[in-house]
Structures are given as structure tokens and as C-alpha cells.
Amino acid sequence: MKAASLLTAAAVALSPLAAAAQGAGGISDGVVRIGVLNDQSGVYADFGGKWSVAAAQMAVEDFGGKVNGASIQVVTADHQNKADIASNIARQWYDVDKVDMITELTTSSVALAVQQLSREKKKINMVTGAATAELTGKQCSPYGFHWAYDTHALAVGTGGALVENGGDTWFFLTADYAFGYSLEEETSKYVKLKGGKVTGAVRHPLASSDFSSFLLQAQASKAKIVGLANAGLDTSNAIKQAAEFGIVEGGQRLAGLLFTLAEVHGLGLKAAQGLVLTEGWYWDLNDETRAFAKRFQEKTGRMPNMIHVGTYSTVLQYLKAVQKAGTDETEAVAKALHEMPVDDVFARGATAAGKAPGKVLPNGRMVHDVYLFEVKKPGDSKAPWDYYKYLATIPGDQAFMKPEASGCPLVQ
């Protein structure tokens, strides 16, 4: 296991946001510590990885480097997509290193495990990298929050759009763990709701290198849409190998149910062209998103996806909540997080001027608009990272599940 490294944000001139707030309790040990726990070496390393750490650092810098007079530190570690390793790191952070909040948490099994531990320890976790809607469903927590996207939003976006455009028969190629099951289940429900039919599914291990047998089953199904209920390098490898089998040339269409700018960049437009996908943010939506992306690129050498900017948003919102509460005490900060609108470059990332900010529901789901895109053909891309053709905005209250339908006990 990689040793956690401690990255301390340098204090800069205090912005008005970082002015000392009045309130009882104060900061427990004079330092607010935020942990970014994710995959930094495996299939999701580009999906989130060190780029999410950079986004968290940007949020600290933009906030002013201090909150309520206390310094802010960002701690990071690689969980290797293993729930036991993630839980051990989180326990060490909470019990010994005095970490106040953990964010990102790529991989649904990891996020669910850390959220359970966070609930037991009465600590806040804010998920941006994991997809399962169970985080704000049956396994919700009074201290758990879910940003950026989830399986329900992906199903409504990509699944709904393809069925409405004639893709009414589906076969799923699914990652064999909690995220894959959830994404397949949510998309299947929405396909059927729209009048479509699911002809079958096959599951593959995480970090597969050979998809041939799975793709042959998908090809034999004759389904119009092969839904890739996986992510990261698994999706990229499945798309590359699908080309070798002539699946698209044979008349079937691939749906990347969780595919982001990072994976499109890694795969290239020649292979990714024509894919329809859903993201919660894109760098080229408006002047504000372009300005943020330029700053991120100057820092990292690449454009951010929704996971990276979502992590920026969680860190910034957490610091605002600490400031509002006047303390880093969990109950007070969680209350502030539930009450405050989310008004930043992530939640405002729409094409329409005057867009309302995001909001946190009683089950911890942060509601914001999401966007449907089609990956451009190579000849249609006018500049580096110009990968998406905008198709539609899906309003947040349509993209995300209603709290009363989520199964979250806190709502009941």
C-alpha cells in the first residue's frame, strides 16, 4: 500500500471568504484536515487520481488558505480500489491523524465502506468519484454527501437519450462489483420505463485485460445497444476490443454509461467518436468553466472532468460550512452543509445565465444539472480537448432520484 503523503496548502492572503467567523467550539486542534482518498495507480487513476488532489488544493488556495483562523491541510492516499485498504487508511486518518473530512472515494465498494466507517466515527465524507446511488439510498448517512453524479443520473441521461433515439434493445457488459450492478440496474429500469427491452447481461472482473468472450456474447445478443456498465480503463479497453470484433460496423452501438473527458482523452477521438455520455460538468460550457479549466490546465497540464471539479466543489463547500458553523465539529458542519446552497463553478456549470445553485437534499444528495454529450469525430474537433458536442441539459430534479423514493432511512 502506498504511504499517505501530506500536502499542506500554503497560506496566502486571506480572501473575504476566509475571514474569521464567530461561533462556539472553534477548530478542534487548530488545523482543518481534508483527506482525498482514491485510486492513484489503477484503472481509475486518470478518472480521479492525482488530478483530484490538485483540484482539492486549488479549492484550499481559492478559499484563502485558512478557515476561522486555522490552517488547512490536504492529505492524500491510494486505496488501490480495495475496500479493506480504504477502511484502514480512513480509520488511521480519523483516529490518529485527526482528519476531519474525506472526499473523492473512487469505486463504489470503497465509498460504501468508508461511509459506514465515517458514520460510526461521526465524521463527514463527501463522495465525488463513486457512482452507486445507494450512498444516498438505503446506506445513506447523516454525515455522508454525494456530489458530481450517480448511477441514477447516468441512467436518465445516457440510457434515456438512446432509447428515445431508437436504441430500444440493450445488452449490458457490467463490472462485477457494487458500482456495475447499480449502474446496470438503474439503466435497465430506465430503458424499460421508456419502452425498451434488456436482452441480457454479462459481468467481468475489475481491471480486465481481455473482453473477447464478453463482447462475443454482446455481439450474439443482436441488441441495438451494448451498455458498458463499467468505467476507466475497463471501458476504454472494452471499446478498443469491440472495434476488433467489428461490433459497431455490424450495426450495434456502444453506450459508455460512465465515461468522462479523461477516458476520451486517453482513448482518442478516432476510437471514441459517436459515443453518447453524461457528465456533470464540462470545461467548454461557458466563460466561467473555460476560465477555471485554464487555471487547472496550467496547474496540471490537462483539462478536468466532472470528478476533478466535483472534488474542488466538495472541498470548497466543506470549508464554507466550517466557516458558517464557526467550528469543525461534525454535527454543526453537517447541518450547515444541508442548509447551504452550492454556488460555485461546478454547480453553476450550465450554459444558461443566472442558473440556480445546487442544493443538498435530506439524504445527502447534491442536486445539480447534468449534461448529455456526443463525442466528436476527429475532423470536428477544433482544438486540443475539444471533444464534446453538447446535446442537452438534464435538470437536476429530473436527473437525481427524489429523496422519498431513495430508500434512505433519514428521509423516512
Side-chain angles (χ1 to χ4, degrees), residues 208-254:
S208 293
S209 58
D210 184 2
F211 286 86
S212 56
S213 64
F214 311 123
L215 289 166
L216 285 170
Q217 291 179 64
Q219 193 171 42
S221 76
K222 305 297 184 183
K224 294 178 183 178
I225 306 294
V226 178
L228 303 176
N230 48 23
L233 287 178
D234 280 339
T235 307
S236 297
N237 288 334
I239 292 170
K240 289 177 184 176
Q241 292 174 38
E244 297 171 7
F245 285 96
I247 286 179
V248 175
E249 289 84 351
Q252 292 175 292
R253 191 171 186 182
L254 300 177

Side-chain angles (χ1 to χ4, degrees), residues 344-383:
D344 57 30
V345 70
F346 178 82
R348 288 195 306 269
T351 53
K355 177 183 177 292
K359 61 182 178 181
V360 176
L361 301 178
N363 61 348
R365 175 68 253 174
M366 198 278 274
V367 172
H368 55 91
D369 292 353
V370 298
Y371 311 100
L372 189 68
F373 300 106
E374 182 177 340
V375 179
K376 290 183 175 182
K377 297 177 181 178
D380 294 333
S381 178
K382 305 304 182 186

Side-chain angles (χ1 to χ4, degrees), residues 5-132:
S5 60
L6 185 64
L7 303 173
T8 305
V12 296
L14 292 183
S15 68
L17 276 176
Q22 297 299 315
I27 305 305
S28 55
D29 61 349
V31 180
V32 171
R33 294 181 180 86
I34 295 168
V36 180
L37 183 55
N38 61 10
D39 175 10
Q40 298 179 13
S41 58
V43 292
Y44 302 139
D46 278 349
F47 183 77
K50 62 184 180 182
W51 318 117
S52 289
V53 179
Q57 292 172 315
M58 282 181 66
V60 172
E61 291 162 6
D62 288 352
F63 192 80
K66 288 181 179 291
V67 57
N68 298 358
S71 63
I72 305 164
Q73 295 179 343
V74 175
V75 179
T76 179
D78 183 352
H79 60 46
Q80 302 176 47
N81 294 309
K82 297 178 180 178
D84 57 342
I85 290 177
S87 295
N88 288 338
I89 293 170
R91 191 179 301 276
Q92 166 78 18
W93 279 359
Y94 288 150
D95 292 347
V96 179
D97 299 331
K98 299 182 179 179
V99 169
D100 299 290
M101 185 272 279
I102 297 177
T103 189
E104 224 269 42
L105 293 168
T106 315
T107 315
S108 292
S109 54
V110 163
L112 290 166
V114 173
Q115 178 154 295
Q116 177 59 33
L117 176 67
S118 299
R119 180 171 187 154
E120 294 170 5
K121 298 288 184 180
K122 293 190 175 180
K123 294 284 190 175
I124 289 171
N125 66 278
M126 302 178 74
V127 179
T128 60
T132 179

Side-chain angles (χ1 to χ4, degrees), residues 108 112 131-135 137-139 150-156 159-160 170-194 196-198 200-203 227-230 257 401 405-407:
S108 292
L112 290 166
T132 179
E134 284 298 290
L135 288 160
K138 294 178 181 179
Q139 298 192 50
D150 65 19
T151 49
H152 188 271
L154 298 174
V156 171
W170 285 64
F171 185 93
F172 288 94
L173 199 159
T174 303
D176 193 12
Y177 74 104
F179 150 67
Y181 313 151
S182 182
L183 187 51
E184 179 189 325
E185 180 182 8
E186 291 285 351
T187 308
S188 295
K189 286 179 182 177
Y190 214 77
V191 165
K192 294 171 184 175
L193 182 66
K194 290 286 185 177
K197 179 181 178 181
V198 176
V202 63
R203 292 176 175 173
L228 303 176
N230 48 23
L257 296 173
M401 195 179 299
S406 69

